[in-house]
Amino acid sequence: LQAVFYGVSFLADVLRLIKKLRCAKCVISSRDLLFSVLAFPVSTFVSISFWTLYTYNRELVYPKSLDGVIPFWLNHAMHTAVLPFAVLEILATPHRYPAKKKALILLGFVAFLYISWVLWIYSETGEWVYPLFALFSPAGLAAFFTGSLAVIVSFYNFGEFLNRMIW
């Protein structure tokens, strides 16, 4: 998600520099939608939830056995760097936020796709993407996913608030 967002941002900047303003407007709209609805809320959620759970009991989200598979720097690129980069983006670039209904529908749809992917992997392998999920009953898992979505929506609202206050 972050790579796609920053790729679109780079394309928007290049198009503005070469004066392709019609194309740039479309790409900038896509950039703003990606950042406001997905990149900021998801990166904030990922960073905060991952490091909170990691601090509590790393085996719930990142078992020690992964240390030999995923390099230290990659773990931080995926779970640490995304938050400061998202905050820097809010400070450096104004973003247009879509209508709340449109934003929440898109955010809910992406959450549905992610949850479907997590459940598909479990159904195919019998292993959870995160060991934490094995602790939940089906109802508990549904409550966890619902609560996580509520937190992500609050991060969306917080990003919108910050953008409005700064810009």
Side-chain angles (χ1 to χ4, degrees), residues 9-86:
S9 293
F10 177 75
L11 180 60
D13 291 343
V14 168
L15 290 172
R16 279 196 322 214
L17 283 173
I18 62 172
K19 307 283 191 238
K20 298 286 186 183
L21 298 179
R22 181 178 286 157
C23 289
K25 284 183 182 183
C26 179
V27 175
I28 289 168
S29 293
S30 298
R31 177 204 67 191
D32 288 347
L33 184 69
L34 268 172
F35 180 77
S36 63
V37 177
L38 299 174
F40 181 81
V42 172
S43 64
T44 304
F45 177 79
V46 164
S47 191
I48 291 172
S49 63
F50 177 85
W51 289 110
T52 299
L53 289 166
Y54 185 96
T55 301
Y56 172 72
N57 179 356
R58 79 171 282 177
E59 295 297 316
L60 295 175
V61 289
Y62 191 80
K64 209 162 188 49
S65 60
L66 291 177
D67 287 347
V69 179
I70 299 174
F72 175 79
W73 66 267
L74 184 56
N75 180 30
H76 283 286
M78 293 185 301
H79 300 111
T80 308
V82 294
L83 181 55
F85 282 135

Side-chain angles (χ1 to χ4, degrees), residues 36-50 52-53 83 104 107-108 111 115 142-160:
S36 63
V37 177
L38 299 174
F40 181 81
V42 172
S43 64
T44 304
F45 177 79
V46 164
S47 191
I48 291 172
S49 63
F50 177 85
T52 299
L53 289 166
L83 181 55
L104 295 180
L107 189 54
I115 291 166
F144 178 81
F145 286 142
T146 302
S148 295
L149 181 58
V151 171
I152 292 171
V153 167
S154 72
F155 289 142
Y156 165 82
N157 288 325
F158 181 63
E160 184 177 35

Side-chain angles (χ1 to χ4, degrees), residues 36 40 90 97-100 155-165:
S36 63
F40 181 81
I90 276 196
Y97 275 65
K100 184 82 73 177
F155 289 142
Y156 165 82
N157 288 325
F158 181 63
E160 184 177 35
F161 169 79
L162 284 177
N163 187 72
R164 192 173 49 249
M165 292 295 105

